[in-house]
Amino acid sequence: QNKNSANVVDLVARKINSLPGRVTVVLKVMACFPSIKVDVSFLCAILQGLDMGEFRNDIEVDDWSSGVVVGVLQDASEAGLVEMVGLGSYKFTHDRVRESA
């Protein structure tokens, strides 16, 4: 069963890495927090405070406003990786997605 779990994590990781860099960055930040759901305003504050340095060209985002973050989360939602829970909060669709991010 551990081999199957590893295969699922690998499959989801490949899916995440195939998405635009801005989606990958947001998912990685979300994965750092153990809560079941993450508030968009919290994500914005964290993302705005991060030094993106070498990733700046890959993510094509200069301002992590709530509109930008919601758009990125909608892309992740369409890929089946996160889902909206309540107003302005998102969660991973599965623990394996969090592990893969």
Side-chain angles (χ1 to χ4, degrees):
Q1 188 172 5
N2 286 340
K3 184 177 180 181
N4 289 337
S5 296
N7 289 340
V8 170
V9 170
D10 185 51
L11 179 67
V12 175
R14 283 195 304 255
K15 184 175 190 174
I16 290 170
N17 289 329
S18 73
L19 296 170
R22 63 186 179 277
V23 177
T24 303
V25 167
V26 170
L27 293 176
K28 286 179 188 246
V29 169
M30 278 183 69
C32 292
F33 300 96
S35 63
I36 292 174
K37 63 182 183 175
V38 179
D39 186 73
V40 170
S41 61
F42 176 75
L43 272 176
C44 291
I46 297 297
L47 289 162
Q48 289 170 1
L50 290 177
D51 177 12
M52 296 294 171
E54 64 189 71
F55 301 108
R56 190 134 335 256
N57 291 334
D58 294 335
I59 58 174
E60 301 173 354
V61 174
D62 290 325
D63 177 30
W64 290 102
S65 66
S66 61
V68 169
V69 173
V70 166
V72 169
L73 290 168
Q74 287 173 343
D75 290 345
S77 178
E78 289 171 9
L81 302 170
V82 299
E83 61 187 3
M84 184 182 243
V85 287
L87 187 61
S89 295
Y90 285 79
K91 71 173 188 166
F92 287 102
T93 53
H94 195 279
D95 287 339
R96 297 287 185 233
V97 176
R98 178 187 300 276
E99 289 175 28
S100 301

